[in-house]
Amino acid sequence: MQEILLKSGSKEEIYKSLLPQIEALVAHEVDTIANLANICGALKQAFNWWWIGFYFVKNQELVLGPFQGPVACTRIAFGKGVCGSAWKEKSTIIVPDVHLFPGHIACSNASLSEIVIPCFKNNEIWAVLDVDSEFLNTFDEIDAKYLAEILKFIPLV
Ligand code: SME
């Protein structure tokens, strides 16, 4: 297996070197859990964010999937928190300060900013990727763009 090799540089440069490596990592594996676990690991290695993980849409709620970081809430209702809102709105949500997001679910008090990106298959959301930072204002449109690109690499059978 090829190790993830990281370049130093701007956030965009790191994403640009990371993207083809993640694409290669997941391209020949059909097991979704394995791929999501490796995506979390690669993102943790590249950016060392506080918490990186997936929630699956299961029976009308979100259920915790593969992640890197401290233990987290296992279930999130439709429309609740940042994750449930991204699912309901079918769009990426960037939260510069979680204290200013009404209904934010604090799995950890250390988390101060957050981004949630929906994973689509045939226009339906089957999971969300949630990333938390222990710093304010960590995420922007660059993260939204490249994280969404990464999610498109996941082979969906
Ligand atoms: N903060 C999220 C909950 C999940 S944890 O951050 C891992 C939310 O408001 O949906």
Side-chain angles (χ1 to χ4, degrees):
M1 201 207 89
Q2 188 65 47
E3 222 184 305
I4 296 282
L5 300 172
L6 296 166
K7 278 190 185 167
S8 51
S10 69
K11 180 160 73 174
E12 194 154 24
E13 283 165 345
I14 296 173
Y15 275 118
K16 281 183 176 162
S17 86
L18 189 62
L19 252 67
Q21 298 187 72
I22 292 185
E23 184 175 24
L25 192 63
V26 302
H28 302 293
E29 176 53 66
V30 294
D31 190 286
T32 302
I33 300 274
N35 283 333
L36 301 190
N38 257 344
I39 288 172
C40 293
L43 290 172
K44 183 74 180 171
Q45 261 187 275
F47 297 106
N48 199 26
W49 291 313
W50 175 254
W51 196 91
I52 302 153
F54 288 89
Y55 281 90
F56 292 110
V57 172
K58 279 188 190 173
N59 303 324
Q60 303 309 308
E61 60 184 348
L62 294 172
V63 182
L64 184 63
F67 69 95
Q68 290 264 331
V71 295
C73 325
T74 52
R75 289 173 191 268
I76 297 173
F78 183 71
K80 298 293 180 190
V82 187
C83 292
S85 300
W87 177 22
K88 185 176 178 185
E89 292 169 20
K90 293 193 166 196
S91 65
T92 293
I93 299 182
I94 296 170
V95 183
D97 179 349
V98 297
H99 298 113
L100 303 179
F101 187 94
H104 167 257
I105 300 165
C107 292
S108 160
N109 286 334
S111 172
L112 294 183
S113 60
E114 181 164 357
I115 185 170
V116 178
I117 305 103
C119 308
F120 289 95
K121 183 185 178 186
N122 301 329
N123 280 328
E124 289 297 317
I125 294 177
W126 58 275
V128 299
L129 170 62
D130 178 19
V131 186
D132 291 10
S133 165
E134 71 271 46
F135 305 106
L136 292 168
N137 296 306
T138 298
F139 307 104
D140 56 23
E141 290 303 326
I142 293 176
D143 301 287
K145 173 184 164 185
Y146 286 103
L147 291 173
E149 291 293 319
I150 289 170
L151 297 177
K152 287 185 201 149
F153 295 145
I154 302 166
L156 295 173
V157 283

